[in-house]
Each structure stands twice: as C-alpha cells, then as structure tokens.
C-alpha cells in the first residue's frame, strides 16, 4: 500500500469521525435530521463534511 493513499484515507476517516461527533452533539436538529446529515457526510465524504460546516451547524427555526 502506498504511504500517501494510507495517509489520505486516515485523514478522511478522522474528518468523518469529527463530523459525526459534531452532528450528534448539535442540539439544533432532531433524530431524523441528524441521521440525514450523517448519511450526507458518509456518502459525500469531504464534501459532506464541508456542507455540514457551512449549512448544518446553524439554528433551525421551529
């Protein structure tokens, strides 16, 4: 295995874990909203994490 691809994969995994922890700890979304954001972060990888940082962390009007 190439060292560069291993490092990139490890960094991607760490970013995904940090994103999931941030989603779970966020009080602004219900269970379904958190589940959807975790799916977005999983399937879109780094882009999903960036989308969470830009759009997901803000307040939700209820």
């Amino acid at each position: 295995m190439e060292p560069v691809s291993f490092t990139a994969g490890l960094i991607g995994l760490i970013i995904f874990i940090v994103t999931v922890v941030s989603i779970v700890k966020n009080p602004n979304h219900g269970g379904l909203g958190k589940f959807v954001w975790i799916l977005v972060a999983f399937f879109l990888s780094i882009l999903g994490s960036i989308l969470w940082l830009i759009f997901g962390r803000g307040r939700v009007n209820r």
Side-chain angles (χ1 to χ4, degrees):
M1 182 163 33
E2 297 283 327
V4 173
S5 64
F6 177 75
T7 304
L10 187 61
I11 290 171
L13 179 64
I14 291 170
I15 290 172
F16 175 71
I17 291 171
V18 169
T19 302
V20 169
V21 169
S22 175
I23 292 169
V24 170
K25 286 187 173 185
N26 191 313
N28 297 326
H29 298 283
L32 181 62
K34 290 179 182 184
F35 179 71
V36 170
W37 272 111
I38 290 171
L39 287 178
V40 168
F42 178 76
F43 286 114
L44 296 180
S45 189
I46 300 297
L47 179 61
S49 297
I50 293 170
L51 290 173
W52 166 252
L53 289 173
I54 294 172
F55 298 112
R57 292 177 24 179
R59 289 222 162 253
V60 174
N61 294 330
R62 294 182 184 203

